[in-house]
Amino acid sequence: MTDAATPTRGSDLQPSPPPPPPPPAAPPPVAWSPWVVRLAVLGLAVLLVVAFATRWDRWVGSAVSQTTNDAYLQSDITPLSAQVSGIVRDMPVGDFQRVRIGDPVAFIANDDYRARVEQAEAALAAADAAIAQFDIQKRTQRALVDQAEANVHGLEADAWRARLEESRQHSLTEQGLAGTLQALQQAQATSRRAQASLEAGQALVDQQKAALDGIDVQVRQAQATRLQRQADLDLARITLDRTTIRAPADGMVGQRQVRPGQYVGQGSQIITLVPLPSVWVIANYKETQMTRIRPGQPATVRVDSFPDTPLTGRVAGESPASGSQFALLPPDNATGNFTKIVQRIPVKIVLDDPNPLRDRLRPGMSVVVTIDTAGASEGGTGGDPAK
């Protein structure tokens, strides 16, 4: 029984599992035809070319930040020229010197111009004397008119009395009372002489009044002459004042173009004035970059001379035409072959004041400008062209 209850050693072993099946065979690689690959690459290249050709300007114009390095500082550069001719007597300013408005920058010898002023003053004094003389003549002539009118009043009384005597003698003669023909004739003669004297006196009054009117005409002519002499004096004084060339604004002068003792003609350039620190930026943007640029948008300016000091400003405006339209010989694309060239539009940017480089900026310096077209513009619509 012991043998029957005790299992054998071989019955304790389990059967071994079957071996795993082999992995499925990988499918054979797809073999692309070389022509298919070439056509796919060519199609992709064509799509890229078409996309760049049709959408490039839109991508460039829709960018929020528009940057250009075709930008420079500018200012009102004013050449100071001589308005009169003469010898330069003195130049109290030197090269690159700061000046204030009204400061003299050059003196031209003014001896002859001062003499012209004195000559004009003498001519004006003579005109005043002539007017005073005519005033005296006018008062005298007015007295003669009054005298002639008074004489006419006396002659009118004599003529009236003579007419009365003539009438009385005529009545006596007709009535045959005491009058005689001789007395009547004498009265008639006396009346006619009195009437003639009255007419002569009235003619004398007219003559004196005409003489008075003639003096009035001479007075007006003398007054016109005085105005001319006054204008000559004013012009002489203006010319004398122009012998001193003054600075029209605060700023800095450039190099002197003349020296003391040199003769200069009218219009000769003496020196150049730059009204520093008044400068601004002119950025020449491509026309494809102007889509979103509007006045009032903020801008960042980096001067090449001071790259670590960025300046801020705002767009003040843009040019009414591209730079090529202001050229001496503008392009004419209506003749010959045509090659399209992207035009540039000058954009003026005013710097914020104060700025850390206020006294260091000079016109002509190169700058790099970046305009934030997402910033608020003057119209309040930002840089969205749809608005």
Side-chain angles (χ1 to χ4, degrees), residues 34-242:
W35 290 105
V36 174
V37 174
R38 293 173 184 176
L39 289 176
V41 172
L42 181 60
L44 180 60
V46 170
L47 289 177
L48 291 176
V49 170
V50 172
F52 274 101
T54 59
R55 307 291 295 182
W56 178 258
D57 291 344
R58 184 180 296 273
W59 293 337
V60 171
S62 61
V64 174
S65 297
Q66 296 293 344
T67 302
T68 181
N69 59 1
D70 187 1
Y72 308 91
L73 294 177
Q74 289 194 6
S75 182
D76 291 325
I77 300 177
T78 306
L80 303 182
S81 302
Q83 295 180 284
V84 296
S85 59
I87 302 296
V88 178
R89 189 182 65 187
D90 186 24
M91 292 198 68
V93 298
D95 296 341
F96 313 134
Q97 178 179 335
R98 287 192 174 274
V99 295
R100 303 284 294 177
I101 182 172
D103 289 348
V105 298
F107 294 100
I108 298 176
N110 58 4
D111 298 337
D112 50 346
Y113 297 105
R114 191 176 300 277
R116 293 177 185 176
V117 171
E118 295 175 354
Q119 183 180 6
E121 289 176 346
L124 180 61
D128 290 335
I131 293 176
Q133 182 180 3
F134 284 126
D135 288 339
I136 295 174
Q137 292 181 3
K138 187 175 181 179
R139 289 195 297 269
T140 302
Q141 188 62 38
R142 186 175 291 110
L144 293 176
V145 171
D146 295 340
Q147 181 180 358
E149 289 178 345
N151 185 40
V152 166
H153 294 324
L155 293 175
E156 287 177 347
D158 293 341
W160 175 74
R161 187 183 61 179
R163 287 195 299 271
L164 288 180
E165 180 63 23
E166 179 185 3
S167 177
R168 189 174 67 85
Q169 291 296 330
H170 189 272
S171 298
L172 291 175
T173 302
E174 287 183 349
Q175 296 175 3
L177 297 175
T180 62
L181 181 60
Q182 182 180 1
L184 176 59
Q185 292 175 349
Q186 185 177 359
Q188 290 176 344
T190 302
S191 176
R192 291 176 182 176
R193 283 195 302 269
Q195 184 64 32
S197 298
L198 176 60
E199 293 176 356
Q202 291 174 344
L204 181 60
V205 170
D206 295 339
Q207 181 182 359
Q208 297 297 344
K209 288 183 177 180
L212 182 61
D213 294 339
I215 294 177
D216 289 336
V217 173
Q218 291 177 337
V219 169
R220 289 194 294 270
Q221 183 178 1
Q223 291 173 346
T225 302
R226 187 194 182 283
L227 292 177
Q228 182 179 358
R229 297 293 180 262
Q230 182 66 53
D232 294 340
L233 176 59
D234 294 341
L235 182 60
R237 287 174 176 171
I238 292 174
T239 305
L240 176 62
D241 184 69
R242 288 176 177 174

Side-chain angles (χ1 to χ4, degrees), residues 259-385:
R259 296 294 185 271
Q262 182 177 347
Y263 177 84
V264 294
Q266 186 175 3
S268 299
Q269 185 172 341
I270 303 296
I271 204 168
T272 302
L273 174 68
V274 182
L276 296 176
S278 177
V279 295
W280 58 86
V281 177
I282 295 296
N284 300 304
Y285 276 92
K286 295 179 181 180
E287 57 184 327
T288 55
Q289 297 178 276
M290 297 295 297
T291 305
R292 295 166 56 93
I293 294 179
R294 298 291 185 273
Q297 291 174 341
T300 302
V301 179
R302 292 185 179 272
V303 185
D304 289 1
S305 301
F306 313 99
D308 296 331
T309 308
L311 306 177
T312 59
R314 288 194 171 273
V315 177
E318 61 186 61
S319 173
S322 65
S324 62
Q325 296 301 312
F326 296 104
L328 180 61
L329 297 176
D332 184 5
N333 296 325
T335 59
N337 296 328
F338 170 69
T339 301
K340 185 175 182 178
I341 300 176
V342 177
Q343 301 297 310
R344 289 186 178 266
I345 307 296
V347 177
K348 182 177 181 179
I349 298 173
V350 178
L351 299 177
D352 294 337
D353 190 25
N355 64 74
L357 301 178
R358 175 182 174 87
D359 296 328
R360 303 296 305 277
L361 301 179
R362 297 294 184 268
M365 284 184 170
S366 300
V367 299
V368 178
V369 178
T370 301
I371 297 177
D372 181 11
T373 61
S377 62
E378 290 182 356
T381 59
D384 190 353

